[in-house]
Structure formats: structure tokens, C-alpha cells
Amino acid sequence: MKSSTTEILLEKPENAEAVEELSAIAFGPGRFARTAFRLREGVASIPELSFVLYHQGELIGSVKLTRIKVGEQDSLVLGPLVVKPDFKNCGFGKSLMEKAVEAARGAGESHIILVGDEPYYARFGFEKVPPGNILMPGPVDPHRLLVCYLQESSDAVTGVASRAV
Ligand SMILES: CC(C)(COP(=O)(O)OP(=O)(O)OC[C@H]1O[C@@H](n2cnc3c(N)ncnc32)[C@H](O)[C@@H]1OP(=O)(O)O)[C@@H](O)C(=O)NCCC(=O)NCCS
């Protein structure tokens, strides 16, 4: 990260409005129709695995992990990851991703899935899900459905992705 005035903290309830604003700027109203959103709809993200990034006192980044199921397996979906446009390409997204992945690994989670650009997420250990292995609850470009295995012992994830509750 760029400066010592940058810190990553667990997201608190009072951050919700600022985080939602970042998402609205990044994804617009269409965000509610995205398949990854539908998977998280009505399910709170995991407080211990959702982070905000402050830079010089301003909340400028966020990443969330939410519990889902894939088949019978407990799974996590990552998103949204968002950094305020004025602060792109400063390494803040990287810092948030590293924090989220390490926290999930430390919590003993098996894997994380997400829908996103492999050229960006590969650096954090994400790879394409083999076509057909995970069925999402809506249309997804198969090249953008990615998984990161967190443990040596993680089983390959296959099945229908669904909300955890
Ligand atoms: C994607 C996003 C979170 C990246 O955050 P960031 O803080 O700008 O990223 P970082 O500074 O950690 O990394 C920048 C690097 O990633 C690259 N990068 C950024 N987005 C990329 C993408 N979609 N595909 C490939 N590379 C990408 C940049 O070119 C840069 O490369 P470099 O290190 O070789 O110069 C941010 O651009 C954002 O909020 N975008 C809008 C929301 C979004 O698209 N979220 C992801 C959903 S898939």
C-alpha cells in the first residue's frame, strides 16, 4: 500500500452506507441483476471476513466474503471488491484481496469463488473453474467464474451454487 496512513479494518455496520455508495459508483444500478449479487441477496456478508480500507481517513475500498453453498459444500463468494475510482492502481485492491484471502485461509475455509477478470484475480491464486463444474443461479461468462483453493487438502468444488440461507 502507498502510505502509512492507510489501514484495513473489519467492516462495521456504520460503514454500510459508504460501502454501498462505492458499489453504486463502480457498478451502477445494474449491480442488482448480476448473478453474483443474486447469490448473496438477503445474506449478510461474514463480519470477520469483510473489510474496508481507509486512506487518509476516508473509506475508499471494500471487499466482502459471503457464505454460500456449492452442492453440499460450504463455500464463500467474494464480492464486491471495489476501490474508489480516484485511487485505482495504487495497490489498494491488492491489499484488500490479500487481506480477505488470508483471513479466509486462517479461518480454515476451503475455497473462495468469484465472478471476475482472471487476469486480475490470478495474482491472488484464483483460477478458472472447469466448465460445468459449478452451476450458478443465473448467466455467467464461464471464463469469469474463478476459484481459489485455500488449503492443501481442499477438495475440488463442484455442484449447484446457492444461497446459504
Ligand atoms: C478492480 C479494482 C478493485 C482493482 O483495484 P485497484 O486498487 O485499482 O487495483 P490494484 O492497484 O491492486 O492493481 C492494479 C493492477 O491491476 C490491474 N487491473 C485492474 N483491473 C484489472 C482487470 N479488470 N483485469 C486485469 N488487470 C486489472 C491494473 O492494470 C494494475 O496492473 P499493474 O499492477 O500491472 O499496473 C478496481 O479497479 C475497481 O474497484 N474497479 C471497479 C469495480 C470492479 O470492477 N470490481 C471487480 C469486479 S470483477
Side-chain angles (χ1 to χ4, degrees), residues 8-142:
I8 296 180
L9 303 173
L10 287 174
E11 184 186 331
K12 297 189 187 121
E14 56 264 37
N15 300 139
E17 201 177 319
V19 167
E20 189 51 35
E21 208 171 298
L22 285 183
S23 269
I25 294 167
F27 300 110
R31 68 192 183 282
F32 300 116
R34 295 163 78 103
T35 295
F37 176 89
R38 284 158 59 180
L39 204 44
R40 301 188 301 259
E41 199 173 6
V43 184
S45 63
I46 300 173
E48 300 78 21
L49 298 178
S50 298
F51 299 95
V52 289
L53 186 147
Y54 283 88
H55 180 63
Q56 293 174 346
E58 184 186 358
L59 194 162
I60 60 146
S62 157
V63 65
K64 293 172 189 273
L65 286 164
T66 302
R67 173 72 61 215
I68 60 163
K69 286 277 194 188
V70 178
E72 293 304 308
Q73 283 176 274
D74 279 336
S75 180
L76 295 172
V77 64
L78 185 143
L81 166 70
V82 59
V83 171
K84 193 172 176 179
D86 297 350
F87 296 92
K88 279 185 184 175
N89 296 318
C90 299
F92 296 134
K94 177 175 188 281
S95 299
L96 281 163
M97 281 303 297
E98 287 174 350
K99 186 79 178 178
V101 167
E102 281 321 304
R105 197 191 312 278
E109 297 289 342
S110 160
H111 62 268
I112 301 170
I113 69 166
L114 63 76
V115 179
D117 295 336
E118 194 206 13
Y120 183 66
Y121 289 104
R123 68 196 75 185
F124 310 114
F126 283 81
E127 59 193 84
K128 278 182 196 146
V129 172
N133 274 19
I134 298 180
L135 297 177
M136 296 289 277
V140 169
D141 176 349

